[in-house]
Amino acid sequence: MTVTAYTLAVLLDLFCLFLGYRFWFQPGPAAAGYGVPADPRGDAGAYLSIKGLRDGTLGVLGLVLLAAAGARAEAWFMVCVALVPLLDTVIVLRHGGAKAVAFGIHFATAVVVLISAGLLFAV
């Protein structure tokens, strides 16, 4: 179980880094994948960069916590971070995005993050 817990945590942290990279360097496709398309050349460009910064920072912080403080600290971090995809679900729904994206991507991600936290607590 320890290998699974650590592997899932690292993969989720790396996924956050990937999302951050994508919002910085491919903001249009990243926004469409998020569920609320936005034009990165207009006013939305700053918000897409902010989202990239947020996601990338969470990925780095998760990796640092896991390496420096261990599984329990990472587990609590994951519990807190699960709020992000939960609220992303609400954002997509409030802005006319597809329910399939809201629940199939964002809500499902929150569930996986909470599962990861549970596995880390059990280590």
PDB file of all heavy atoms in Angstrom, residues 11-47:
ATOM      1  N   LEU A  11       2.176  11.258  -8.723  1.00  0.00           N
ATOM      2  CA  LEU A  11       1.503  11.455 -10.011  1.00  0.00           C
ATOM      3  C   LEU A  11       0.549  12.649  -9.968  1.00  0.00           C
ATOM      4  O   LEU A  11       0.500  13.438 -10.924  1.00  0.00           O
ATOM      5  CB  LEU A  11       0.753  10.187 -10.425  1.00  0.00           C
ATOM      6  CG  LEU A  11       1.626   9.022 -10.892  1.00  0.00           C
ATOM      7  CD1 LEU A  11       0.765   7.786 -11.146  1.00  0.00           C
ATOM      8  CD2 LEU A  11       2.419   9.394 -12.130  1.00  0.00           C
ATOM      9  N   LEU A  12      -0.187  12.800  -8.886  1.00  0.00           N
ATOM     10  CA  LEU A  12      -1.101  13.944  -8.767  1.00  0.00           C
ATOM     11  C   LEU A  12      -0.322  15.254  -8.700  1.00  0.00           C
ATOM     12  O   LEU A  12      -0.717  16.247  -9.327  1.00  0.00           O
ATOM     13  CB  LEU A  12      -2.005  13.782  -7.539  1.00  0.00           C
ATOM     14  CG  LEU A  12      -3.097  12.729  -7.674  1.00  0.00           C
ATOM     15  CD1 LEU A  12      -3.750  12.463  -6.319  1.00  0.00           C
ATOM     16  CD2 LEU A  12      -4.134  13.139  -8.700  1.00  0.00           C
ATOM     17  N   ASP A  13       0.779  15.260  -7.972  1.00  0.00           N
ATOM     18  CA  ASP A  13       1.605  16.471  -7.908  1.00  0.00           C
ATOM     19  C   ASP A  13       2.199  16.802  -9.278  1.00  0.00           C
ATOM     20  O   ASP A  13       2.200  17.962  -9.697  1.00  0.00           O
ATOM     21  CB  ASP A  13       2.723  16.307  -6.872  1.00  0.00           C
ATOM     22  CG  ASP A  13       2.204  16.250  -5.452  1.00  0.00           C
ATOM     23  OD1 ASP A  13       1.117  16.800  -5.183  1.00  0.00           O
ATOM     24  OD2 ASP A  13       2.891  15.658  -4.594  1.00  0.00           O
ATOM     25  N   LEU A  14       2.673  15.796  -9.985  1.00  0.00           N
ATOM     26  CA  LEU A  14       3.218  16.020 -11.330  1.00  0.00           C
ATOM     27  C   LEU A  14       2.128  16.474 -12.299  1.00  0.00           C
ATOM     28  O   LEU A  14       2.383  17.289 -13.190  1.00  0.00           O
ATOM     29  CB  LEU A  14       3.905  14.755 -11.844  1.00  0.00           C
ATOM     30  CG  LEU A  14       5.220  14.385 -11.153  1.00  0.00           C
ATOM     31  CD1 LEU A  14       5.722  13.032 -11.659  1.00  0.00           C
ATOM     32  CD2 LEU A  14       6.269  15.466 -11.346  1.00  0.00           C
ATOM     33  N   PHE A  15       0.919  15.959 -12.108  1.00  0.00           N
ATOM     34  CA  PHE A  15      -0.196  16.389 -12.952  1.00  0.00           C
ATOM     35  C   PHE A  15      -0.481  17.874 -12.739  1.00  0.00           C
ATOM     36  O   PHE A  15      -0.749  18.603 -13.693  1.00  0.00           O
ATOM     37  CB  PHE A  15      -1.436  15.543 -12.667  1.00  0.00           C
ATOM     38  CG  PHE A  15      -2.585  15.850 -13.569  1.00  0.00           C
ATOM     39  CD1 PHE A  15      -2.510  15.622 -14.932  1.00  0.00           C
ATOM     40  CD2 PHE A  15      -3.758  16.383 -13.052  1.00  0.00           C
ATOM     41  CE1 PHE A  15      -3.576  15.919 -15.772  1.00  0.00           C
ATOM     42  CE2 PHE A  15      -4.820  16.678 -13.883  1.00  0.00           C
ATOM     43  CZ  PHE A  15      -4.734  16.449 -15.247  1.00  0.00           C
ATOM     44  N   CYS A  16      -0.398  18.327 -11.502  1.00  0.00           N
ATOM     45  CA  CYS A  16      -0.563  19.764 -11.227  1.00  0.00           C
ATOM     46  C   CYS A  16       0.511  20.571 -11.948  1.00  0.00           C
ATOM     47  O   CYS A  16       0.221  21.636 -12.515  1.00  0.00           O
ATOM     48  CB  CYS A  16      -0.511  20.043  -9.726  1.00  0.00           C
ATOM     49  SG  CYS A  16      -1.992  19.584  -8.835  1.00  0.00           S
ATOM     50  N   LEU A  17       1.738  20.087 -11.931  1.00  0.00           N
ATOM     51  CA  LEU A  17       2.810  20.770 -12.654  1.00  0.00           C
ATOM     52  C   LEU A  17       2.515  20.813 -14.152  1.00  0.00           C
ATOM     53  O   LEU A  17       2.711  21.837 -14.811  1.00  0.00           O
ATOM     54  CB  LEU A  17       4.145  20.073 -12.412  1.00  0.00           C
ATOM     55  CG  LEU A  17       4.815  20.340 -11.089  1.00  0.00           C
ATOM     56  CD1 LEU A  17       6.032  19.447 -10.907  1.00  0.00           C
ATOM     57  CD2 LEU A  17       5.205  21.795 -10.981  1.00  0.00           C
ATOM     58  N   PHE A  18       2.019  19.704 -14.691  1.00  0.00           N
ATOM     59  CA  PHE A  18       1.657  19.658 -16.111  1.00  0.00           C
ATOM     60  C   PHE A  18       0.565  20.674 -16.424  1.00  0.00           C
ATOM     61  O   PHE A  18       0.644  21.393 -17.417  1.00  0.00           O
ATOM     62  CB  PHE A  18       1.209  18.246 -16.495  1.00  0.00           C
ATOM     63  CG  PHE A  18       0.531  18.190 -17.824  1.00  0.00           C
ATOM     64  CD1 PHE A  18       1.270  18.290 -19.004  1.00  0.00           C
ATOM     65  CD2 PHE A  18      -0.845  18.056 -17.914  1.00  0.00           C
ATOM     66  CE1 PHE A  18       0.633  18.262 -20.243  1.00  0.00           C
ATOM     67  CE2 PHE A  18      -1.481  18.028 -19.138  1.00  0.00           C
ATOM     68  CZ  PHE A  18      -0.741  18.130 -20.315  1.00  0.00           C
ATOM     69  N   LEU A  19      -0.447  20.738 -15.571  1.00  0.00           N
ATOM     70  CA  LEU A  19      -1.533  21.706 -15.799  1.00  0.00           C
ATOM     71  C   LEU A  19      -1.004  23.130 -15.755  1.00  0.00           C
ATOM     72  O   LEU A  19      -1.394  23.972 -16.568  1.00  0.00           O
ATOM     73  CB  LEU A  19      -2.644  21.517 -14.772  1.00  0.00           C
ATOM     74  CG  LEU A  19      -3.468  20.242 -14.910  1.00  0.00           C
ATOM     75  CD1 LEU A  19      -4.438  20.118 -13.737  1.00  0.00           C
ATOM     76  CD2 LEU A  19      -4.199  20.198 -16.225  1.00  0.00           C
ATOM     77  N   GLY A  20      -0.126  23.399 -14.801  1.00  0.00           N
ATOM     78  CA  GLY A  20       0.468  24.734 -14.726  1.00  0.00           C
ATOM     79  C   GLY A  20       1.225  25.074 -15.997  1.00  0.00           C
ATOM     80  O   GLY A  20       1.058  26.152 -16.569  1.00  0.00           O
ATOM     81  N   TYR A  21       2.041  24.129 -16.462  1.00  0.00           N
ATOM     82  CA  TYR A  21       2.782  24.321 -17.708  1.00  0.00           C
ATOM     83  C   TYR A  21       1.815  24.577 -18.858  1.00  0.00           C
ATOM     84  O   TYR A  21       2.011  25.492 -19.659  1.00  0.00           O
ATOM     85  CB  TYR A  21       3.639  23.081 -17.994  1.00  0.00           C
ATOM     86  CG  TYR A  21       4.209  23.080 -19.388  1.00  0.00           C
ATOM     87  CD1 TYR A  21       5.398  23.739 -19.669  1.00  0.00           C
ATOM     88  CD2 TYR A  21       3.546  22.435 -20.430  1.00  0.00           C
ATOM     89  CE1 TYR A  21       5.920  23.754 -20.952  1.00  0.00           C
ATOM     90  CE2 TYR A  21       4.053  22.451 -21.719  1.00  0.00           C
ATOM     91  CZ  TYR A  21       5.235  23.107 -21.978  1.00  0.00           C
ATOM     92  OH  TYR A  21       5.733  23.130 -23.251  1.00  0.00           O
ATOM     93  N   ARG A  22       0.782  23.786 -18.952  1.00  0.00           N
ATOM     94  CA  ARG A  22      -0.154  23.894 -20.079  1.00  0.00           C
ATOM     95  C   ARG A  22      -0.870  25.248 -20.076  1.00  0.00           C
ATOM     96  O   ARG A  22      -1.034  25.864 -21.124  1.00  0.00           O
ATOM     97  CB  ARG A  22      -1.163  22.752 -20.041  1.00  0.00           C
ATOM     98  CG  ARG A  22      -1.970  22.641 -21.297  1.00  0.00           C
ATOM     99  CD  ARG A  22      -2.552  21.272 -21.473  1.00  0.00           C
ATOM    100  NE  ARG A  22      -3.230  21.219 -22.753  1.00  0.00           N
ATOM    101  CZ  ARG A  22      -4.504  20.909 -22.910  1.00  0.00           C
ATOM    102  NH1 ARG A  22      -5.232  20.572 -21.857  1.00  0.00           N
ATOM    103  NH2 ARG A  22      -5.054  20.895 -24.090  1.00  0.00           N
ATOM    104  N   PHE A  23      -1.285  25.722 -18.918  1.00  0.00           N
ATOM    105  CA  PHE A  23      -1.966  27.016 -18.862  1.00  0.00           C
ATOM    106  C   PHE A  23      -1.019  28.171 -19.178  1.00  0.00           C
ATOM    107  O   PHE A  23      -1.455  29.214 -19.642  1.00  0.00           O
ATOM    108  CB  PHE A  23      -2.668  27.221 -17.516  1.00  0.00           C
ATOM    109  CG  PHE A  23      -4.076  26.716 -17.516  1.00  0.00           C
ATOM    110  CD1 PHE A  23      -4.360  25.422 -17.123  1.00  0.00           C
ATOM    111  CD2 PHE A  23      -5.119  27.511 -17.942  1.00  0.00           C
ATOM    112  CE1 PHE A  23      -5.659  24.935 -17.146  1.00  0.00           C
ATOM    113  CE2 PHE A  23      -6.424  27.040 -17.970  1.00  0.00           C
ATOM    114  CZ  PHE A  23      -6.691  25.748 -17.569  1.00  0.00           C
ATOM    115  N   TRP A  24       0.267  27.984 -18.928  1.00  0.00           N
ATOM    116  CA  TRP A  24       1.238  29.024 -19.267  1.00  0.00           C
ATOM    117  C   TRP A  24       1.590  29.013 -20.750  1.00  0.00           C
ATOM    118  O   TRP A  24       1.715  30.067 -21.368  1.00  0.00           O
ATOM    119  CB  TRP A  24       2.520  28.845 -18.447  1.00  0.00           C
ATOM    120  CG  TRP A  24       2.457  29.613 -17.169  1.00  0.00           C
ATOM    121  CD1 TRP A  24       1.848  29.220 -16.018  1.00  0.00           C
ATOM    122  CD2 TRP A  24       2.987  30.906 -16.917  1.00  0.00           C
ATOM    123  NE1 TRP A  24       1.979  30.188 -15.065  1.00  0.00           N
ATOM    124  CE2 TRP A  24       2.673  31.231 -15.585  1.00  0.00           C
ATOM    125  CE3 TRP A  24       3.703  31.812 -17.687  1.00  0.00           C
ATOM    126  CZ2 TRP A  24       3.054  32.433 -15.012  1.00  0.00           C
ATOM    127  CZ3 TRP A  24       4.089  33.011 -17.110  1.00  0.00           C
ATOM    128  CH2 TRP A  24       3.756  33.308 -15.781  1.00  0.00           C
ATOM    129  N   PHE A  25       1.765  27.816 -21.322  1.00  0.00           N
ATOM    130  CA  PHE A  25       2.303  27.730 -22.674  1.00  0.00           C
ATOM    131  C   PHE A  25       1.291  27.328 -23.747  1.00  0.00           C
ATOM    132  O   PHE A  25       1.563  27.502 -24.935  1.00  0.00           O
ATOM    133  CB  PHE A  25       3.506  26.787 -22.696  1.00  0.00           C
ATOM    134  CG  PHE A  25       4.642  27.312 -21.873  1.00  0.00           C
ATOM    135  CD1 PHE A  25       4.901  26.793 -20.624  1.00  0.00           C
ATOM    136  CD2 PHE A  25       5.429  28.356 -22.335  1.00  0.00           C
ATOM    137  CE1 PHE A  25       5.941  27.294 -19.850  1.00  0.00           C
ATOM    138  CE2 PHE A  25       6.462  28.874 -21.574  1.00  0.00           C
ATOM    139  CZ  PHE A  25       6.720  28.339 -20.321  1.00  0.00           C
ATOM    140  N   GLN A  26       0.129  26.813 -23.337  1.00  0.00           N
ATOM    141  CA  GLN A  26      -0.953  26.467 -24.265  1.00  0.00           C
ATOM    142  C   GLN A  26      -2.287  26.892 -23.637  1.00  0.00           C
ATOM    143  O   GLN A  26      -3.170  26.067 -23.419  1.00  0.00           O
ATOM    144  CB  GLN A  26      -0.969  24.965 -24.551  1.00  0.00           C
ATOM    145  CG  GLN A  26       0.304  24.461 -25.181  1.00  0.00           C
ATOM    146  CD  GLN A  26       0.328  22.943 -25.262  1.00  0.00           C
ATOM    147  OE1 GLN A  26      -0.323  22.245 -24.503  1.00  0.00           O
ATOM    148  NE2 GLN A  26       1.093  22.429 -26.204  1.00  0.00           N
ATOM    149  N   PRO A  27      -2.436  28.177 -23.328  1.00  0.00           N
ATOM    150  CA  PRO A  27      -3.593  28.606 -22.544  1.00  0.00           C
ATOM    151  C   PRO A  27      -4.946  28.368 -23.217  1.00  0.00           C
ATOM    152  O   PRO A  27      -5.908  28.036 -22.530  1.00  0.00           O
ATOM    153  CB  PRO A  27      -3.345  30.097 -22.314  1.00  0.00           C
ATOM    154  CG  PRO A  27      -2.377  30.503 -23.362  1.00  0.00           C
ATOM    155  CD  PRO A  27      -1.555  29.291 -23.674  1.00  0.00           C
ATOM    156  N   GLY A  28      -5.040  28.544 -24.517  1.00  0.00           N
ATOM    157  CA  GLY A  28      -6.325  28.332 -25.196  1.00  0.00           C
ATOM    158  C   GLY A  28      -6.815  26.902 -25.067  1.00  0.00           C
ATOM    159  O   GLY A  28      -7.930  26.651 -24.578  1.00  0.00           O
ATOM    160  N   PRO A  29      -6.017  25.915 -25.490  1.00  0.00           N
ATOM    161  CA  PRO A  29      -6.434  24.523 -25.336  1.00  0.00           C
ATOM    162  C   PRO A  29      -6.621  24.118 -23.872  1.00  0.00           C
ATOM    163  O   PRO A  29      -7.509  23.328 -23.554  1.00  0.00           O
ATOM    164  CB  PRO A  29      -5.293  23.727 -25.977  1.00  0.00           C
ATOM    165  CG  PRO A  29      -4.626  24.667 -26.907  1.00  0.00           C
ATOM    166  CD  PRO A  29      -4.786  26.025 -26.284  1.00  0.00           C
ATOM    167  N   ALA A  30      -5.784  24.664 -22.985  1.00  0.00           N
ATOM    168  CA  ALA A  30      -5.924  24.337 -21.564  1.00  0.00           C
ATOM    169  C   ALA A  30      -7.260  24.828 -21.028  1.00  0.00           C
ATOM    170  O   ALA A  30      -7.947  24.116 -20.281  1.00  0.00           O
ATOM    171  CB  ALA A  30      -4.776  24.940 -20.761  1.00  0.00           C
ATOM    172  N   ALA A  31      -7.664  26.037 -21.413  1.00  0.00           N
ATOM    173  CA  ALA A  31      -8.948  26.578 -20.956  1.00  0.00           C
ATOM    174  C   ALA A  31     -10.101  25.747 -21.494  1.00  0.00           C
ATOM    175  O   ALA A  31     -11.069  25.469 -20.775  1.00  0.00           O
ATOM    176  CB  ALA A  31      -9.091  28.035 -21.388  1.00  0.00           C
ATOM    177  N   ALA A  32     -10.008  25.337 -22.756  1.00  0.00           N
ATOM    178  CA  ALA A  32     -11.062  24.494 -23.330  1.00  0.00           C
ATOM    179  C   ALA A  32     -11.150  23.168 -22.583  1.00  0.00           C
ATOM    180  O   ALA A  32     -12.240  22.682 -22.287  1.00  0.00           O
ATOM    181  CB  ALA A  32     -10.800  24.264 -24.811  1.00  0.00           C
ATOM    182  N   GLY A  33     -10.000  22.589 -22.252  1.00  0.00           N
ATOM    183  CA  GLY A  33      -9.987  21.342 -21.499  1.00  0.00           C
ATOM    184  C   GLY A  33     -10.525  21.500 -20.094  1.00  0.00           C
ATOM    185  O   GLY A  33     -11.086  20.566 -19.525  1.00  0.00           O
ATOM    186  N   TYR A  34     -10.344  22.679 -19.531  1.00  0.00           N
ATOM    187  CA  TYR A  34     -10.867  22.984 -18.194  1.00  0.00           C
ATOM    188  C   TYR A  34     -12.386  22.963 -18.194  1.00  0.00           C
ATOM    189  O   TYR A  34     -13.015  22.604 -17.213  1.00  0.00           O
ATOM    190  CB  TYR A  34     -10.342  24.353 -17.745  1.00  0.00           C
ATOM    191  CG  TYR A  34     -10.861  24.821 -16.416  1.00  0.00           C
ATOM    192  CD1 TYR A  34     -10.267  24.399 -15.230  1.00  0.00           C
ATOM    193  CD2 TYR A  34     -11.939  25.694 -16.338  1.00  0.00           C
ATOM    194  CE1 TYR A  34     -10.744  24.835 -14.006  1.00  0.00           C
ATOM    195  CE2 TYR A  34     -12.412  26.136 -15.114  1.00  0.00           C
ATOM    196  CZ  TYR A  34     -11.813  25.704 -13.957  1.00  0.00           C
ATOM    197  OH  TYR A  34     -12.293  26.142 -12.744  1.00  0.00           O
ATOM    198  N   GLY A  35     -12.970  23.351 -19.316  1.00  0.00           N
ATOM    199  CA  GLY A  35     -14.424  23.330 -19.419  1.00  0.00           C
ATOM    200  C   GLY A  35     -15.047  24.687 -19.639  1.00  0.00           C
ATOM    201  O   GLY A  35     -16.254  24.797 -19.817  1.00  0.00           O
ATOM    202  N   VAL A  36     -14.253  25.734 -19.596  1.00  0.00           N
ATOM    203  CA  VAL A  36     -14.738  27.097 -19.838  1.00  0.00           C
ATOM    204  C   VAL A  36     -13.747  27.757 -20.801  1.00  0.00           C
ATOM    205  O   VAL A  36     -12.758  28.342 -20.372  1.00  0.00           O
ATOM    206  CB  VAL A  36     -14.849  27.913 -18.531  1.00  0.00           C
ATOM    207  CG1 VAL A  36     -15.412  29.294 -18.816  1.00  0.00           C
ATOM    208  CG2 VAL A  36     -15.698  27.197 -17.504  1.00  0.00           C
ATOM    209  N   PRO A  37     -13.981  27.617 -22.108  1.00  0.00           N
ATOM    210  CA  PRO A  37     -13.040  28.183 -23.074  1.00  0.00           C
ATOM    211  C   PRO A  37     -12.847  29.687 -22.866  1.00  0.00           C
ATOM    212  O   PRO A  37     -13.767  30.394 -22.467  1.00  0.00           O
ATOM    213  CB  PRO A  37     -13.705  27.910 -24.423  1.00  0.00           C
ATOM    214  CG  PRO A  37     -14.651  26.791 -24.160  1.00  0.00           C
ATOM    215  CD  PRO A  37     -15.102  26.958 -22.734  1.00  0.00           C
ATOM    216  N   ALA A  38     -11.635  30.152 -23.114  1.00  0.00           N
ATOM    217  CA  ALA A  38     -11.304  31.573 -22.958  1.00  0.00           C
ATOM    218  C   ALA A  38     -10.247  31.936 -23.984  1.00  0.00           C
ATOM    219  O   ALA A  38      -9.409  31.112 -24.339  1.00  0.00           O
ATOM    220  CB  ALA A  38     -10.797  31.839 -21.545  1.00  0.00           C
ATOM    221  N   ASP A  39     -10.278  33.156 -24.425  1.00  0.00           N
ATOM    222  CA  ASP A  39      -9.305  33.650 -25.388  1.00  0.00           C
ATOM    223  C   ASP A  39      -8.096  34.207 -24.635  1.00  0.00           C
ATOM    224  O   ASP A  39      -8.210  35.236 -23.965  1.00  0.00           O
ATOM    225  CB  ASP A  39      -9.934  34.726 -26.267  1.00  0.00           C
ATOM    226  CG  ASP A  39      -8.999  35.220 -27.351  1.00  0.00           C
ATOM    227  OD1 ASP A  39      -7.836  34.757 -27.408  1.00  0.00           O
ATOM    228  OD2 ASP A  39      -9.426  36.060 -28.151  1.00  0.00           O
ATOM    229  N   PRO A  40      -6.949  33.549 -24.730  1.00  0.00           N
ATOM    230  CA  PRO A  40      -5.775  34.010 -23.980  1.00  0.00           C
ATOM    231  C   PRO A  40      -5.218  35.343 -24.474  1.00  0.00           C
ATOM    232  O   PRO A  40      -4.427  35.964 -23.781  1.00  0.00           O
ATOM    233  CB  PRO A  40      -4.750  32.891 -24.184  1.00  0.00           C
ATOM    234  CG  PRO A  40      -5.186  32.180 -25.410  1.00  0.00           C
ATOM    235  CD  PRO A  40      -6.675  32.338 -25.490  1.00  0.00           C
ATOM    236  N   ARG A  41      -5.661  35.807 -25.645  1.00  0.00           N
ATOM    237  CA  ARG A  41      -5.164  37.081 -26.164  1.00  0.00           C
ATOM    238  C   ARG A  41      -5.923  38.268 -25.566  1.00  0.00           C
ATOM    239  O   ARG A  41      -5.466  39.390 -25.655  1.00  0.00           O
ATOM    240  CB  ARG A  41      -5.277  37.102 -27.686  1.00  0.00           C
ATOM    241  CG  ARG A  41      -4.373  36.051 -28.335  1.00  0.00           C
ATOM    242  CD  ARG A  41      -4.730  35.862 -29.761  1.00  0.00           C
ATOM    243  NE  ARG A  41      -6.087  35.308 -29.771  1.00  0.00           N
ATOM    244  CZ  ARG A  41      -6.775  35.023 -30.843  1.00  0.00           C
ATOM    245  NH1 ARG A  41      -6.268  35.244 -32.019  1.00  0.00           N
ATOM    246  NH2 ARG A  41      -7.980  34.505 -30.763  1.00  0.00           N
ATOM    247  N   GLY A  42      -7.077  38.006 -24.972  1.00  0.00           N
ATOM    248  CA  GLY A  42      -7.868  39.084 -24.383  1.00  0.00           C
ATOM    249  C   GLY A  42      -7.639  39.188 -22.890  1.00  0.00           C
ATOM    250  O   GLY A  42      -6.600  38.797 -22.355  1.00  0.00           O
ATOM    251  N   ASP A  43      -8.651  39.719 -22.213  1.00  0.00           N
ATOM    252  CA  ASP A  43      -8.566  39.897 -20.765  1.00  0.00           C
ATOM    253  C   ASP A  43      -8.384  38.582 -20.021  1.00  0.00           C
ATOM    254  O   ASP A  43      -7.846  38.554 -18.924  1.00  0.00           O
ATOM    255  CB  ASP A  43      -9.831  40.594 -20.246  1.00  0.00           C
ATOM    256  CG  ASP A  43      -9.912  42.039 -20.700  1.00  0.00           C
ATOM    257  OD1 ASP A  43      -8.862  42.606 -21.082  1.00  0.00           O
ATOM    258  OD2 ASP A  43     -11.012  42.609 -20.680  1.00  0.00           O
ATOM    259  N   ALA A  44      -8.840  37.478 -20.616  1.00  0.00           N
ATOM    260  CA  ALA A  44      -8.748  36.183 -19.943  1.00  0.00           C
ATOM    261  C   ALA A  44      -7.311  35.700 -19.817  1.00  0.00           C
ATOM    262  O   ALA A  44      -7.018  34.840 -18.993  1.00  0.00           O
ATOM    263  CB  ALA A  44      -9.578  35.143 -20.685  1.00  0.00           C
ATOM    264  N   GLY A  45      -6.400  36.239 -20.610  1.00  0.00           N
ATOM    265  CA  GLY A  45      -5.012  35.789 -20.581  1.00  0.00           C
ATOM    266  C   GLY A  45      -4.380  35.848 -19.200  1.00  0.00           C
ATOM    267  O   GLY A  45      -3.670  34.931 -18.804  1.00  0.00           O
ATOM    268  N   ALA A  46      -4.648  36.908 -18.480  1.00  0.00           N
ATOM    269  CA  ALA A  46      -4.091  37.033 -17.131  1.00  0.00           C
ATOM    270  C   ALA A  46      -4.657  35.952 -16.213  1.00  0.00           C
ATOM    271  O   ALA A  46      -3.915  35.350 -15.421  1.00  0.00           O
ATOM    272  CB  ALA A  46      -4.390  38.414 -16.555  1.00  0.00           C
ATOM    273  N   TYR A  47      -5.938  35.675 -16.326  1.00  0.00           N
ATOM    274  CA  TYR A  47      -6.558  34.665 -15.466  1.00  0.00           C
ATOM    275  C   TYR A  47      -6.053  33.270 -15.791  1.00  0.00           C
ATOM    276  O   TYR A  47      -5.883  32.437 -14.902  1.00  0.00           O
ATOM    277  CB  TYR A  47      -8.078  34.740 -15.555  1.00  0.00           C
ATOM    278  CG  TYR A  47      -8.594  36.047 -15.013  1.00  0.00           C
ATOM    279  CD1 TYR A  47      -9.044  37.055 -15.854  1.00  0.00           C
ATOM    280  CD2 TYR A  47      -8.575  36.295 -13.642  1.00  0.00           C
ATOM    281  CE1 TYR A  47      -9.480  38.262 -15.358  1.00  0.00           C
ATOM    282  CE2 TYR A  47      -9.007  37.504 -13.139  1.00  0.00           C
ATOM    283  CZ  TYR A  47      -9.462  38.479 -13.995  1.00  0.00           C
ATOM    284  OH  TYR A  47      -9.875  39.677 -13.490  1.00  0.00           O
TER     285      TYR A  47
END
